[in-house]
Amino acid sequence: MKFNWNNPYPTIRLPVMGRNVVSTSHPYAAQAGLKIIQQGGNAIDAAIAAAAALMIVEPVSNGLGSDCFAIVWDGQQLHGLNSSGTAPQAWSPEYFGDKYGLNHLGLANNPKRGWDSVTVPGALAGWEQLHSRFGSLPLADLLQPAIEIAERGYAMAPVVAHKWAAAIPELHHQPGFAQAFMPYGRAPDIGEMFRFDAAAKTLKAIAKNGIRDFYEGEIAQAIVDHAGSHGGSMSLNDLADYRPDWVGTIEQSMKGADGKIYSMHEIPPNGQGIGALIALGILQNFDLTNYPVDSVESQHLQIEAMKLAFADVYQYVADPRSMDVTPEQMLDSSYLAERAKLINPNRATHFKFGLPQSGGTIYLSATDEQGRMISFIQSNYMGFGSGVVIPDWGVSLQNRGFGFSMDPKSANVVAGGKRPFHTIIPAFLTRQEDGQTLPQMSFGLMGGDMQPQGHLQTILRMISYRQQPQAACDAPRWKVNRDFTLDVESNMNPSTIQGLSKLGHELKKVDDPYMDFGSGQFIWRLSDDIRDGYVAASDPRRDGQAAVY
């Protein structure tokens, strides 16, 4: 792809070139990963090191009790890892109904925070799988940068400080939260030091005893004891029985502006990545290049395709063992062509789900000069997650249980040992050349429901409109909400906003991009000769950077 290297958007970032790249939402984490590559590690080693560091420097988004997903190009082929946690065996609609009562629909209430929102943490088990299959340095070496950061402390970055302070009113009363995250009786201010000795203790224990200690040893016992003391149902068996799954990827192809065929890859459900592929497949029935990149017409078609995708995602996506339709059926080209016919180019529409033919997050990317590439994401969800932190161990726990439905008729209904609907999704782009599948870009965005929408918007800007990665990253974004209203960034062209409004989109102009429009990292391979390296982009909506050498 021959990019237009101009950037038409106000930005504080430039594209970065290098043979080895680690791109993350915080400079400390990017440097931690790059340090590992300089010590002889590979891209997967670097991703684990960066992920560990991010748990320390960006606890507003992830922690030792997170989940994770990854897509890895090992130099020959793609591998997809689902390391999202499962529900405690005790969970059921009846469990929640007995504890929290029923809502006006007669369904059980389920809490957004606290122990009864916590599924088994999957992130560390994911690290273990990645390291055993692809790692080259000892795990203890990969965790050392994060341990050092946690013990020495670090000055608070602006975006992290902003999100930290915003979370305090809701979470300060959760067990262990204030002890871990309110060292001054409040959130740390920009530039103030924060040390995380408890998390360093856990990382040291894992470095010495292995990650299974988190699921079967002293750390596991501390987690279960804390759950029992605060009304939770997590058991030692729930932790010990947990295993991630290697699941491959699902994909959607498109023709680029250079005439080549590209394929966007996502992890299959229980995640929402299939939504980006559905929208991309629908848009193959239109020629976006007939319209300028930031035009009302182009943006309208993308928004409507995303709304159609979400209508199906929210209806069907769940743990794949309980889905009524398969990903293949949801991505069937003839079905998507029929869905595309529902788009009115002159009017916004509120879509219902179709009927396929039956039969708080961090993202990072790392590449190395041997050609390995990894797209990695881990998250606590909704910022700090459940708000629960295990005393003395610094394990802040996600609240992915809130993603379950309490409706017995739903494919996503809660059940013990089941994975909930998940928002976090890594992505990867490949290219077809002379019958071969070649790696092109590892990329992704953090940010709840924004993630598949960000994947779609940035990929189209690069592949259909030849925008270079940093420009595609910097461009103003829109976000379709669950009620199909539309958020737009405040720096979007006023004429585009006005045009979308005239088409019937119910718009909300949002001034806080840190909380609503995601944050991406992109690493694009410059040529088939790996010696030419990569170009990387890091989102200005976070504190991060792309670090290279």
Side-chain angles (χ1 to χ4, degrees), residues 51 54 133 142 166 211 323 443:
L54 281 164
R133 193 163 185 173
L142 309 186
I211 284 176
M323 285 176 61
F443 74 102

Side-chain angles (χ1 to χ4, degrees), residues 70-305:
I71 300 176
V72 177
W73 178 266
D74 66 1
Q76 301 295 325
Q77 61 180 333
L78 280 179
H79 307 266
L81 177 68
N82 181 335
S83 198
S84 61
T86 52
Q89 287 296 332
W91 282 12
S92 68
E94 293 74 24
Y95 171 90
F96 287 98
D98 290 343
K99 289 188 73 171
Y100 300 102
L102 305 180
N103 63 22
H104 68 285
L105 298 175
L107 303 178
N109 294 302
N110 59 321
K112 184 168 70 171
R113 311 288 186 179
W115 259 111
D116 275 335
S117 68
V118 180
T119 56
V120 175
L124 271 64
W127 297 359
E128 183 179 45
Q129 287 289 313
L130 290 167
H131 183 256
S132 63
R133 193 163 185 173
F134 302 112
S136 60
L137 295 182
L139 180 65
D141 291 0
L142 309 186
L143 300 181
Q144 189 54 44
I147 292 170
E148 181 180 348
I149 295 166
E151 290 184 330
R152 294 185 64 184
Y154 59 93
M156 193 59 50
V159 176
V160 173
H162 171 80
K163 296 177 72 175
W164 201 312
I168 296 296
E170 183 178 3
L171 299 177
H172 67 90
H173 64 284
Q174 291 294 342
F177 184 87
Q179 177 183 339
F181 295 127
M182 298 175 65
Y184 309 99
R186 54 169 173 77
D189 289 333
I190 297 172
E192 281 189 317
M193 291 295 293
F194 176 74
R195 293 177 177 82
F196 206 174
D197 290 321
K201 175 185 173 181
T202 297
L203 291 172
K204 284 182 173 180
I206 291 167
K208 179 181 178 181
N209 303 320
I211 284 176
R212 292 315 301 173
D213 190 55
F214 186 90
Y215 294 93
E216 299 174 5
E218 184 181 5
I219 303 170
Q221 187 64 60
I223 292 171
V224 170
D225 289 347
H226 193 260
S229 299
H230 295 88
S233 60
M234 188 81 68
S235 72
L236 286 173
N237 285 339
D238 290 328
L239 291 167
D241 291 346
Y242 177 73
R243 296 292 185 278
D245 291 326
W246 291 99
V247 295
T249 65
I250 52 177
E251 64 184 277
Q252 182 66 256
S253 296
M254 65 176 295
K255 189 174 183 179
D258 57 1
K260 296 178 180 178
I261 301 299
Y262 294 85
S263 293
M264 184 161 70
H265 298 257
E266 302 275 357
I267 297 289
N270 56 313
Q272 63 174 339
I274 193 171
L277 303 184
I278 292 171
L280 188 62
I282 288 170
L283 288 170
Q284 298 315 294
N285 296 279
F286 303 88
D287 188 355
L288 287 183
T289 59
N290 286 335
Y291 312 108
V293 60
D294 290 306
S295 66
V296 173
E297 294 86 354
S298 178
Q299 299 304 306
H300 171 69
L301 290 174
Q302 294 174 52
I303 291 164
E304 295 296 278

Side-chain angles (χ1 to χ4, degrees), residues 272-549:
Q272 63 174 339
I274 193 171
L277 303 184
I278 292 171
L280 188 62
I282 288 170
L283 288 170
Q284 298 315 294
N285 296 279
F286 303 88
D287 188 355
L288 287 183
T289 59
N290 286 335
Y291 312 108
V293 60
D294 290 306
S295 66
V296 173
E297 294 86 354
S298 178
Q299 299 304 306
H300 171 69
L301 290 174
Q302 294 174 52
I303 291 164
E304 295 296 278
M306 199 70 244
K307 287 160 64 177
L308 281 164
F310 273 144
D312 279 2
V313 165
Y314 296 147
Q315 176 67 20
Y316 297 116
V317 170
D319 187 313
R321 295 170 293 182
S322 62
M323 285 176 61
D324 297 324
V325 297
T326 67
E328 291 75 20
Q329 290 163 347
M330 295 177 73
L331 293 171
D332 180 76
S333 59
S334 58
Y335 169 67
L336 297 184
E338 289 301 310
R339 295 290 276 168
K341 293 177 182 177
L342 299 175
I343 294 178
N344 183 339
N346 301 311
R347 193 70 188 165
T349 304
H350 192 105
F351 300 106
K352 295 182 179 180
F353 60 87
L355 295 171
Q357 186 63 42
S358 297
T361 304
I362 63 89
Y363 173 81
L364 66 91
S365 181
T367 59
D368 63 36
E369 57 188 305
Q370 285 75 46
R372 289 175 287 256
M373 307 172 73
I374 178 170
S375 179
F376 180 93
I377 197 163
Q378 74 186 10
S379 170
N380 266 2
Y381 194 37
M382 296 182 177
F384 282 98
S386 66
V388 176
V389 185
I390 309 303
D392 303 322
W393 293 98
V395 177
S396 63
L397 293 156
Q398 37 85 331
N399 59 331
R400 287 292 169 180
F402 190 63
F404 278 118
S405 170
M406 296 292 124
D407 185 352
K409 298 177 183 178
S410 171
N412 189 40
V413 65
V414 64
K418 186 176 179 179
R419 287 187 165 103
F421 174 83
H422 228 285
T423 59
I424 63 173
I425 50 172
F428 201 95
L429 189 72
T430 58
R431 185 183 83 255
Q432 296 298 314
E433 196 82 48
D434 299 326
Q436 287 186 298
T437 298
L438 302 174
Q440 189 61 73
M441 180 171 64
S442 56
F443 74 102
L445 282 91
M446 60 177 97
D449 295 341
M450 183 63 212
Q451 292 173 61
Q453 308 186 59
H455 290 187
L456 179 73
Q457 291 173 64
T458 52
I459 278 293
L460 289 172
R461 286 179 176 278
M462 284 182 255
I463 303 304
S464 296
Y465 290 106
R466 296 182 182 269
Q467 287 194 333
Q468 51 103 338
Q470 191 64 58
C473 182
D474 293 339
R477 297 174 187 154
W478 46 261
K479 184 183 77 169
V480 174
N481 298 307
R482 294 264 176 143
D483 60 0
F484 285 179
T485 59
L486 193 69
D487 292 343
V488 295
E489 280 191 291
S490 58
N491 61 337
M492 183 175 285
N493 189 313
S495 64
T496 302
I497 296 174
Q498 184 179 26
L500 291 172
S501 181
K502 286 182 178 179
L503 290 175
H505 294 282
E506 186 179 340
L507 302 180
K508 292 187 256 182
K509 190 174 177 181
V510 179
D511 293 322
D512 184 2
Y514 305 128
M515 302 297 287
D516 293 285
F517 294 97
S519 172
Q521 313 294 330
F522 306 82
I523 305 180
W524 177 283
R525 185 163 163 170
L526 285 169
S527 78
D528 294 338
D529 186 344
I530 191 58
R531 292 174 297 182
D532 291 341
Y534 310 87
V535 57
S538 185
D539 206 308
R541 297 167 182 83
R542 292 294 189 274
D543 299 304
Q545 67 172 184
V548 306
Y549 88 97

